[in-house]
Amino acid sequence: MLLNNPVIKSKIALLWHNFWSGGIANPMTAIEQISYLLFMKQLDELDFRQKGRAEFLGLPYNSKFAGEFTLPGTEDVKVDKEDLRWRKFKDKQPEDMLLHVQTKVFPFLQSLNGGSSNFARHMKNAVFIIPKANLLSEAIAIIDEIYKELEIDAAKKGHAFQDIQGDVYEMLLNELSSSGKNGQFRTPRHIIKLIVELVGPQFGQIIGDPACGTGGFLLGAYQYIVTQMDKDKDNIEPDEDGFVRSSVSSVLKPEHMERLEQNLWGYDFDVTMVRLGLMNLMMHGIDSPQVDYMDTLSKRYTEENKYHIVMTNPPFTGSIDKGDLSQAFSLSTSKTELLFIERTYNMLKMGGTAGIIVPQGVLFGSSKAHVKARQILIDQCELKAVITMPSGVFKPYAGVSTAILVFTKGGETRQVWFYEMQSDGRSLDDRRQKEEGYGDLQDIVARYKTRDPRQESDRKAKCFFVTKEEIVEQNYDLSLSRYKEDVLEEMESESPEVIFHKLLKLEEEIDRDLKKLMEISK
């Protein structure tokens, strides 16, 4: 993870500082502009590698930089697309570079995949607003240095995938005193990998995220599926979190890749997040991501019974205008953390499985909407797991305690598996430093995949089962503390008589000391 590498961390901090001092102080504007530069860099890197691989194997390859690009607003002014590569323009003089990127490279990016593509449609109103030539030149130099360090980091720690866009986004938020004010909390990658591992998406399944942000869950599903299809996966070293992930689509045939891309769907109500998500997925080799602008809680969103898999970390502690709320909801509430549970349920096909992060208040809230949301999970689904997470998982942005819910639509809940995560392999303070080992991550995966109600009945253990009947009796309460039994340690103590004599002796000693002090004072 980039944020655990001090060299890369310092480079990203310098990048943010340069943008702030260069006149782009709005954090979201800075993030978006930096993302455009990262996208330019990664697009060149991916295309160059894929082109070289195709030439080595003697396969045809249609480079994004092949041919000519007609400049917008003209009919006959064309430029060679090869000149729009990062490696071609990065060494230009600052003033020439700024003009080249503003008038040629950025318009080219906006039109990628054709003017009618989903990406081009969302990039139509995007603006490249880096105002100073030196700021652009310095930013490009820093990004090149980040990539060099990234290659070293990947080789040392087994990071075959790097969610660069998301890491930069998280790092920039970390630099802000106002971080989290807009509710944009990126899900830590190791938590995404955990949920994906528990849900287990398969090739051919339609996968969705109703609040996708920078596309972390979609990217996680893509990584997992690519790994499962990799014949050499048994020889891949686990990453720093103990998960095995292979590299970008090297084992996928074009027809497989196309089908996989068509089965990854994400929505977000923030147009900036949509652009970031699109670029993030494209930077990782997904050429045509299905990410779109949509408030999935609103009346405009009507998709139901479509997805085999839904994984999401929706915004919570928020609310939506009831006038814009979809009439398909049975929950009478405007609390987004509850509405997204029902939205996820409605999105799933019968037999589809979801992994969703919720604040722990959802597990025990006593309002009618809270109880009804839990009834959906218990009575209309097979609620497979409730995994509580410590409050530090989302620091430094929020200290709220959260939980992972894994459920299958239409299944029958008989017993629910509870697990109390105590460590996610990182410190639980604002610094979130990587600790030795995997925390509880791999233990959760192993125990979940081998869970057995006949073997895990000890309520004093870290994980255990609770029957549906008991949960219903407790008003559908899903809080782990409701069912967990405290471990009482036996302590040996002295008899009251011995303690009494010790107190008398202590009192006598105090009296003697007081008399000595009084004599000295005379």
Side-chain angles (χ1 to χ4, degrees):
M1 186 176 182
L2 288 182
L3 302 186
N4 295 321
N5 183 310
V7 177
I8 297 177
K9 187 174 181 179
S10 66
K11 298 292 184 186
I12 294 176
L14 178 60
L15 197 60
W16 162 248
H17 174 76
N18 285 359
F19 269 73
W20 183 83
S21 60
I24 302 181
N26 183 298
M28 291 308 297
T29 302
I31 291 169
E32 194 167 16
Q33 297 301 307
I34 292 170
S35 293
Y36 295 151
L37 296 179
L38 286 168
F39 188 53
M40 294 174 192
K41 169 70 174 178
Q42 185 71 350
L43 189 69
D44 181 21
E45 292 289 334
L46 275 176
D47 187 87
F48 199 78
R49 288 201 301 268
Q50 290 171 351
K51 182 180 178 181
R53 186 185 301 121
E55 290 176 351
F56 177 77
L57 297 174
L59 299 173
Y61 177 70
N62 186 22
S63 171
K64 293 184 183 297
F65 295 94
E68 294 182 323
F69 173 62
T70 303
L71 296 182
T74 71
E75 295 182 358
D76 56 359
V77 180
K78 302 179 185 295
V79 295
D80 187 342
K81 288 183 181 179
E82 279 291 325
D83 291 334
L84 305 179
R85 286 185 180 275
W86 176 281
R87 68 192 65 220
K88 288 294 184 70
F89 67 73
K90 70 174 185 175
D91 295 324
K92 288 179 177 288
Q93 292 299 312
E95 293 294 340
D96 294 337
M97 183 194 299
L98 179 61
L99 182 63
H100 184 74
V101 172
Q102 285 176 332
T103 61
K104 298 175 183 177
V105 180
F106 190 71
F108 166 66
L109 294 184
Q110 288 180 292
S111 66
L112 275 178
N113 297 341
S116 60
S117 70
N118 186 44
F119 178 76
R121 179 163 55 87
H122 287 294
M123 288 292 290
K124 183 178 180 181
N125 296 321
V127 182
F128 187 80
I129 59 171
I130 294 179
K132 301 175 182 177
N134 285 338
L135 174 59
L136 175 61
S137 179
E138 291 169 358
I140 284 176
I142 293 172
I143 289 173
D144 266 340
E145 291 171 1
I146 289 174
Y147 265 75
K148 289 178 183 177
E149 186 63 30
L150 182 59
E151 291 178 2
I152 297 172
D153 189 80
K156 287 182 178 178
K157 300 180 181 179
H159 294 168
F161 277 78
Q162 276 290 1
D163 184 0
I164 302 166
Q165 194 104 343
D167 272 348
V168 171
Y169 178 64
E170 185 173 336
M171 179 60 200
L172 291 177
L173 281 184
N174 196 32
E175 291 292 310
L176 305 175
S177 59
S178 60
S179 60
K181 280 189 176 181
N182 60 355
Q184 303 288 1
F185 303 136
R186 177 171 172 260
T187 313
R189 184 180 304 107
H190 59 287
I191 300 300
I192 290 176
K193 287 186 288 190
L194 171 64
I195 293 175
V196 173
E197 198 82 23
L198 298 177
V199 173
Q202 300 298 311
F203 179 77
Q205 292 183 324
I206 304 173
I207 301 162
D209 183 346
C212 67
T214 60
F217 276 105
L218 300 179
L219 182 58
Y222 169 79
Q223 295 174 320
Y224 181 86
I225 292 170
V226 168
T227 304
Q228 297 307 307
M229 298 179 71
D230 193 338
K231 296 178 181 179
D232 196 39
K233 63 177 179 290
D234 292 337
N235 296 322
I236 300 172
E237 290 293 324
D239 63 19
E240 65 180 359
D241 299 304
F243 296 100
V244 173
R245 295 292 185 267
S246 60
S247 59
V248 179
S249 66
S250 58
V251 299
L252 293 181
K253 295 180 179 179
E255 59 269 26
H256 292 154
M257 189 63 195
E258 183 178 354
R259 186 179 179 190
L260 179 54
E261 290 179 353
Q262 292 173 349
N263 285 345
L264 297 173
W265 293 80
Y267 300 95
D268 203 277
F269 64 87
D270 185 327
V271 68
T272 300
M273 287 295 102
V274 172
R275 289 178 189 147
L276 293 178
L278 285 165
M279 288 188 290
N280 191 23
L281 294 174
M282 291 177 72
M283 286 200 311
H284 288 84
I286 303 174
D287 288 336
S288 302
Q290 308 297 323
V291 176
D292 212 342
Y293 171 78
M294 176 67 70
D295 183 347
T296 54
L297 299 182
S298 70
K299 296 175 180 177
R300 292 176 53 233
Y301 187 77
T302 58
E303 288 185 344
E304 293 191 2
N305 305 310
K306 174 180 177 179
Y307 297 93
H308 299 96
I309 299 290
V310 175
M311 294 179 288
T312 189
N313 177 20
F316 35 81
T317 68
S319 61
I320 185 173
D321 180 4
K322 287 190 175 182
D324 191 38
L325 193 61
S326 171
Q327 296 177 348
F329 290 113
S330 64
L331 296 178
S332 181
T333 182
S334 60
K335 290 185 176 294
T336 58
E337 62 265 36
L338 299 178
L339 292 171
F340 269 108
I341 290 177
E342 186 171 3
R343 168 54 64 220
T344 298
Y345 171 82
N346 290 339
M347 289 172 67
L348 286 170
K349 288 176 175 286
M350 194 62 68
T353 299
I356 180 173
I357 296 175
V358 297
Q360 286 194 27
V362 167
L363 306 180
F364 56 81
S366 59
S367 73
K368 290 182 179 179
H370 279 88
V371 175
K372 189 169 183 178
R374 297 196 295 268
Q375 286 176 330
I376 292 174
L377 295 170
I378 294 292
D379 294 339
Q380 297 173 232
C381 302
E382 179 192 359
L383 180 57
K384 295 181 175 180
V386 176
I387 301 166
T388 60
M389 296 189 286
S391 60
V393 168
F394 283 94
K395 284 186 176 181
Y397 319 125
V400 62
S401 296
T402 54
I404 299 168
L405 303 178
V406 181
F407 60 92
T408 295
K409 181 176 181 177
E412 180 181 357
T413 299
R414 294 182 179 178
Q415 301 212 47
V416 179
W417 187 70
F418 286 80
Y419 189 105
E420 183 178 21
M421 180 196 294
Q422 296 171 343
S423 169
D424 66 340
R426 285 146 179 82
S427 63
L428 296 174
D429 54 18
D430 286 355
R431 297 182 68 188
R432 298 290 282 142
Q433 294 281 13
K434 182 72 178 74
E435 297 175 339
E436 186 176 350
Y438 307 139
D440 290 327
L441 298 179
Q442 293 306 316
D443 186 59
I444 292 172
V445 172
R447 288 174 181 262
Y448 176 80
K449 292 183 177 180
T450 59
R451 67 194 189 282
D452 184 349
R454 295 168 298 180
Q455 302 294 326
E456 298 178 83
S457 58
D458 183 3
R459 299 286 179 89
K460 296 177 182 178
K462 186 179 288 187
C463 57
F464 52 83
F465 280 89
V466 179
T467 64
K468 175 183 177 180
E469 290 73 20
E470 186 175 354
I471 292 171
V472 172
E473 287 176 4
Q474 296 295 334
N475 199 27
Y476 290 87
D477 194 317
L478 293 175
S479 57
L480 181 140
S481 60
R482 169 70 67 178
Y483 308 104
K484 187 175 177 63
E485 295 179 9
D486 293 329
V487 179
L488 301 177
E489 296 183 4
E490 292 186 8
M491 296 182 63
E492 293 185 4
S493 59
E494 297 173 316
S495 68
E497 184 178 355
V498 172
I499 294 174
F500 178 72
H501 283 296
K502 285 185 175 181
L503 288 173
L504 285 177
K505 186 176 180 181
L506 180 62
E507 186 177 0
E508 291 173 358
E509 291 176 352
I510 291 173
D511 286 340
R512 284 197 301 268
D513 290 341
L514 285 173
K515 287 179 182 179
K516 288 180 181 180
L517 287 172
M518 291 177 66
E519 290 176 358
I520 293 172
S521 62
K522 290 179 181 180

